[in-house]
Amino acid sequence: MEDMIRIEDLVFEYTRDEDQQPVSAIQNVSLNIEKGSFTAIIGRNGSGKSTLAKNINALLLPSSGAVYVNGFDTRKEEQVWDIRQSAAMVFQNPDNQIVSSIVEDDVAFGPENLGIPPEEIRRRVDNALNSVNMYEHRKKAPHLLSGGQKQRIAIAGAIAMRPECIVFDEPTAMLDPKGRSEVMSIIKELHGEGITVVLITHFMEEAAQADRIVIMDQGKIALDGTPWQVFSRVDELRRLNLDVPLPVELCCRLRRRGVEVPDTIITMEEMVEFLCQYK
Ligand code: ADP
Ligand code: MG
């Protein structure tokens, strides 16, 4: 499978005032992400997740090492638009991403900057608004919408760029449970349509839905594998100060009490399936 993102021995340091030491945020990270895959990145606060995401989008450039997005080198200034068009980004706070006072204008903003003809923009905006179930709100003012709705507008803005990949940096962190699950189902649909998804999250049940989980700790990759491979390392997760998903925790406790539970249960749905055998 072809790689969407190739990160080679990336080091990133934030430089501050001359008399201060630089802050080392990413230390020699190498990571390849396949086209069409769904990767979750988790890790405690300050572990370097957002810095990594911004390096993928060329918002930050490597202190050393290299990042390639769809084959484009982020260090080459002339490729920055190709990179941002290949890999769009959705951030945590929807209010900081909305630039227009009407929903549909906001979604059109990205494609307009790409110089796309008006009739094609119209089509893209309508499609994007439909895919996030916000078409009926297209004439509204974004500030009148709920947090979840605003985040869906920000996602529509990303979709309208027709990117091959979307990097989401904690897109549900500021949302209520309803908004969270709406945004998660859109993310899963986008992945289903073939878009490469990178999802940074601190919700374990969201990470459990990815094909692959990468755990960051102190600017490095601490664990990398399928959800099952990663979540079965319960002691390691505790050491990294991360929660174990509730269904995994429940399985561990049941096993300790002698109940035979398959070691493939990660999501609540799988747990329900398993328990329903006994009804
Ligand atoms: P995460 O997203 O996992 O919480 P970040 O990538 O935001 O982690 O931060 C990684 C490290 O870089 C932390 O030590 C953080 O304090 C530091 N850092 C982040 N942004 C800046 C900045 N603008 N200037 C200096 N240090 C920063
Ligand atoms: Mg962050």
Side-chain angles (χ1 to χ4, degrees):
M1 198 63 189
E2 211 181 328
D3 285 325
M4 181 71 225
I5 297 165
R6 243 169 50 229
I7 299 173
E8 292 177 355
D9 209 17
L10 176 68
V11 172
F12 186 86
E13 291 174 345
Y14 288 98
T15 44
R16 298 182 292 176
D17 296 339
E18 273 165 31
D19 52 334
Q20 286 174 305
Q21 285 287 320
V23 179
S24 166
I26 304 282
Q27 299 174 39
N28 306 93
V29 165
S30 292
L31 177 70
N32 291 353
I33 291 179
E34 282 183 3
K35 283 198 172 174
S37 61
F38 179 177
T39 305
I41 301 181
I42 59 179
R44 61 183 134 188
N45 277 342
S47 57
K49 305 178 299 295
S50 293
T51 306
L52 189 73
K54 288 177 187 157
N55 269 279
I56 294 171
N57 207 241
L59 288 170
L60 296 175
L61 298 175
S63 303
S64 74
V67 178
Y68 300 92
V69 177
N70 218 0
F72 299 112
D73 185 340
T74 63
R75 293 167 301 182
K76 296 196 172 140
E77 215 176 307
E78 70 277 11
Q79 303 195 339
V80 70
W81 284 109
D82 290 317
I83 287 165
R84 302 225 174 117
Q85 207 187 329
S86 301
M89 207 163 155
V90 175
F91 296 93
Q92 184 177 109
N93 187 344
D95 289 321
N96 298 344
Q97 301 172 73
I98 288 171
V99 291
S100 305
S101 54
I102 299 172
V103 164
E104 61 179 4
D105 293 351
D106 198 81
V107 178
F109 186 77
E112 268 165 8
N113 276 341
L114 295 175
I116 288 162
E119 49 303 355
E120 168 69 11
I121 293 182
R122 179 77 261 160
R123 230 180 355 256
R124 286 191 184 198
V125 167
D126 290 351
N127 282 341
L129 283 168
N130 272 316
S131 28
V132 300
N133 299 320
M134 287 297 290
Y135 184 73
E136 62 182 297
H137 301 291
R138 66 192 178 283
K139 302 284 183 200
K140 288 196 181 152
H143 73 269
L144 298 175
L145 303 173
S146 71
Q149 288 175 320
K150 280 189 269 194
Q151 195 60 302
R152 278 146 63 196
I153 297 302
I155 295 173
I159 297 173
M161 308 275 283
R162 296 278 159 91
E164 278 186 64
C165 171
I166 305 182
V167 179
F168 296 89
D169 190 356
E170 305 209 25
T172 64
M174 300 181 75
L175 309 183
D176 60 15
K178 181 166 174 282
R180 278 214 301 273
S181 76
E182 285 165 355
V183 165
M184 269 315 287
S185 45
I186 289 161
I187 291 175
K188 279 190 286 180
E189 263 169 45
L190 292 172
H191 170 237
E193 289 164 13
I195 291 186
T196 311
V197 172
V198 178
L199 171 66
I200 298 171
T201 181
H202 67 262
F203 294 105
M204 297 301 131
E205 34 335 332
E206 293 181 1
Q209 301 180 37
D211 320 319
R212 176 185 183 190
I213 299 180
V214 173
I215 301 187
M216 293 203 57
D217 187 49
Q218 297 182 29
K220 297 193 179 107
I221 293 176
L223 279 176
D224 180 359
T226 64
W228 179 74
Q229 286 167 337
V230 166
F231 286 141
S232 56
R233 312 223 357 215
V234 174
D235 295 336
E236 186 87 358
L237 291 176
R238 295 234 166 81
R239 190 183 63 74
L240 295 166
N241 231 340
L242 293 169
D243 294 331
V244 175
L246 193 61
V248 175
E249 173 87 41
L250 191 55
C251 285
C252 286
R253 290 206 201 177
L254 287 169
R255 237 174 267 134
R256 248 181 270 146
R257 300 277 292 267
V259 181
E260 271 187 50
V261 189
D263 52 12
T264 49
I265 294 176
I266 292 166
T267 64
M268 207 55 94
E269 201 43 53
E270 289 161 352
M271 177 53 95
V272 170
E273 279 300 317
F274 169 70
L275 292 174
C276 282
Q277 294 171 44
Y278 298 98
K279 74 180 173 202

